[in-house]
Amino acid sequence: MTAWRNLLKGKFYTAINILGLATGLAIGTLIVIWVLNELSYDRFHKDSKNVYRVLSNLGTGSHRQVWPNSHAPLATFAKKEIPEIRDALRIKGNRDITVLRYKNKQFTEETKCYVDPSFFTVFDFKLLRGKAEQAFDGNYSVILTASTVKTIL
C-alpha cells in the first residue's frame, strides 16, 4: 500500500522510472535477438563449427577499420602453410550488370559471385540438378539459383 501511495504521489518520477525500465527491457531484448541471429548464421551446414571467415584489420590508432574481405592469395597460402586448415576458398561478390543469353532469351543479372571449386566441399548447399563434385568441371562453369532459372525459362 505504501508503494502505491509513493508511486501516485510522485507521478513524474514514476513515469521516468517506468519509461527507463521499458526502454532498458526493449533494448536488452533487441540485443539478445541480434546475438541469437548472429550465432545461428549458416548453422545448417553440417560442419559449420569449423567454417571461419577471414577479415582484414587495416589502419592504425583511431583510423583502424575491419573489412569483410582479404587478399585473394591468402586462401591458397594459408591452406599450404597451416596444416590445421583442411580447405580454403575465396568468394568474390560482383554487382556489375551482366547480360546473359540462353537460347533465344536474353536477361540481365546484377548479383553474382565468383567462387573456388572447393565451394561445395566447405558448404552443404543442395543442388536441384547435377552433382556437387562436377559443378566446376570447366573454367566457365555456372551455378544458377532456382529464382534465376525461373526467369530464364
Side-chain angles (χ1 to χ4, degrees):
M1 198 59 151
T2 306
W4 283 111
R5 270 189 264 139
N6 287 334
L7 289 175
L8 293 175
K9 190 166 73 171
K11 292 179 185 174
F12 177 72
Y13 292 111
T14 300
I16 288 176
N17 287 333
I18 291 174
L19 184 65
L21 178 64
T23 303
L25 286 172
I27 290 172
T29 303
L30 289 174
I31 290 172
V32 167
I33 290 171
W34 176 73
V35 167
L36 289 174
N37 180 48
E38 289 294 313
L39 292 175
S40 69
Y41 190 72
D42 281 348
R43 292 292 179 218
F44 60 90
H45 299 294
K46 68 180 176 199
D47 202 22
S48 63
K49 65 179 181 292
N50 292 320
V51 176
Y52 298 92
R53 182 178 186 185
V54 176
L55 303 175
S56 295
N57 199 347
L58 305 169
T60 59
S62 63
H63 298 289
R64 182 171 297 282
Q65 295 179 343
V66 177
W67 289 58
N69 52 19
S70 57
H71 297 287
L74 182 62
T76 53
F77 177 79
K79 186 177 175 182
K80 186 174 21 171
E81 296 294 323
I82 303 172
E84 290 83 7
I85 295 179
R86 283 189 262 154
D87 211 340
L89 73 107
R90 298 165 291 187
I91 301 173
K92 171 68 173 129
N94 188 340
R95 295 205 180 266
D96 292 340
I97 296 175
T98 302
V99 177
L100 302 171
R101 289 185 185 88
Y102 178 72
K103 296 186 178 180
N104 294 332
K105 291 187 178 182
Q106 179 176 323
F107 63 99
T108 59
E109 187 62 42
E110 291 183 26
T111 306
K112 58 194 164 300
C113 291
Y114 302 102
V115 299
D116 284 332
S118 60
F119 183 81
F120 288 112
T121 60
V122 174
F123 297 114
D124 298 326
F125 291 107
K126 303 288 185 241
L127 295 177
L128 297 176
R129 292 182 65 189
K131 296 180 182 178
E133 302 84 35
Q134 300 170 340
F136 300 105
D137 279 345
N139 287 335
Y140 300 102
S141 299
V142 175
I143 307 293
L144 300 174
T145 62
S147 59
T148 302
V149 171
K150 286 178 185 175
T151 62
I152 295 171
L153 303 175

